[in-house]
């Protein structure tokens, strides 16, 4: 047989004889179509919840908790087809997804993973939620470090707050 694009073609020659030893023959082409089964999600990954500014998250695609399964045992390739303002996701070593959270970003975003067997593909969507944490203020003004007794000093507080939250400052008499 000849294999073309995954389909198999077989040529069968048929000869028919009659009682007078005359024969006819013909060629019949039998085509067996490739019945590719697309990859399917075999172990769904639950939604992922992390705190803002956490270390990288690593999700295993293959191995004991294989994310996708291909009944035809075709080799699978994987791709990330989503874009997020909360994280950057990359596939490394052909079987691990590294999710790096952006600094000071929080909220929810979908991570869409595609498995492809060369003929068809499947998608899995994982909701990633990044919980906000309150980052401390950072004072950027420099205080007076040398002072003379009974002298009046004015100090303008300046700060940055990546969370841009409201707060109050209480000064106590020293």
């Amino acid at each position: 047989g000849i294999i073309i694009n995954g389909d198999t073609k077989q040529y069968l020659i048929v000869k028919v004889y009659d009682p007078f030893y005359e024969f006819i023959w013909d060629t019949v082409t039998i085509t067996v179509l490739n019945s590719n089964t697309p990859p399917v999600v075999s172990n769904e990954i639950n939604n992922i919840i992390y705190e803002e500014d956490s270390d990288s998250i690593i999700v295993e695609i293959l191995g004991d908790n294989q994310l996708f399964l291909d009944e035809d045992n075709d080799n699978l390739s994987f791709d990330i087809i989503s874009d997020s303002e909360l994280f950057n996701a990359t596939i490394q070593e052909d079987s691990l997804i590294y999710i790096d959270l952006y600094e000071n970003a929080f909220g929810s975003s979908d991570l869409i993973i595609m498995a492809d067997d060369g003929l068809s593909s499947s998608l899995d969507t994982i909701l990633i939620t990044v919980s906000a944490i309150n980052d401390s203020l950072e004072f950027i003004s420099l205080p007076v470090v040398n002072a003379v007794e009974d002298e009046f000093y004015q100090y303008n507080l300046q700060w940055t707050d990546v969370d841009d939250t409201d707060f109050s400052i209480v000064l106590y008499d020293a």
Side-chain angles (χ1 to χ4, degrees):
I2 301 170
I3 298 176
I4 302 172
N5 293 332
D7 299 337
T8 303
K9 285 189 180 244
Q10 184 71 45
Y11 299 99
L12 180 65
I13 298 173
V14 179
K15 290 184 182 181
V16 179
Y17 295 94
D18 68 9
F20 302 105
Y21 296 104
E22 292 188 28
F23 68 92
I24 4 178
W25 63 277
D26 198 1
T27 303
V28 177
T29 303
I30 300 172
T31 303
V32 179
L33 300 175
N34 182 358
S35 62
N36 183 57
T37 304
V40 294
V41 176
S42 59
N43 287 308
E44 282 190 14
I45 296 176
N46 294 330
N47 297 336
I48 297 173
I49 300 173
Y50 276 90
E51 285 188 347
E52 169 189 339
D53 302 332
S54 293
D55 292 335
S56 293
I57 305 162
I58 300 173
V59 177
E60 189 175 14
I61 302 174
L62 300 174
D64 293 338
N65 295 315
Q66 187 165 331
L67 180 59
F68 291 96
L69 179 68
D70 188 87
E71 290 181 16
D72 304 327
N73 291 321
D74 296 326
N75 289 330
L76 298 178
S77 62
F78 304 100
D79 198 11
I80 305 290
I81 59 171
S82 56
D83 193 20
S84 173
E85 293 182 5
L86 296 178
F87 58 83
N88 178 47
T90 57
I91 296 177
Q92 298 180 18
E93 303 169 28
D94 295 330
S95 64
L96 299 173
I97 299 174
Y98 282 79
I99 304 169
D100 296 310
L101 303 178
Y102 293 138
E103 194 171 309
N104 301 316
F106 55 90
S108 294
S109 184
D110 287 335
L111 170 64
I112 302 171
I113 306 162
M114 180 178 68
D116 190 316
D117 67 5
L119 294 174
S120 55
S121 60
S122 295
L123 302 175
D124 189 29
T125 302
I126 302 167
L127 178 66
I128 297 181
T129 300
V130 180
S131 302
I133 58 171
N134 187 18
D135 293 308
S136 300
L137 295 175
E138 185 176 327
F139 287 98
I140 56 175
S141 55
L142 298 175
V144 175
V145 290
N146 292 319
V148 176
E149 186 177 353
D150 296 327
E151 288 284 324
F152 177 76
Y153 292 93
Q154 182 175 348
Y155 178 56
N156 293 320
L157 292 175
Q158 295 176 338
W159 60 87
T160 61
D161 181 19
V162 295
D163 297 322
D164 200 26
T165 54
D166 293 331
F167 64 92
S168 61
I169 296 177
V170 178
L171 298 176
Y172 295 97
D173 188 23

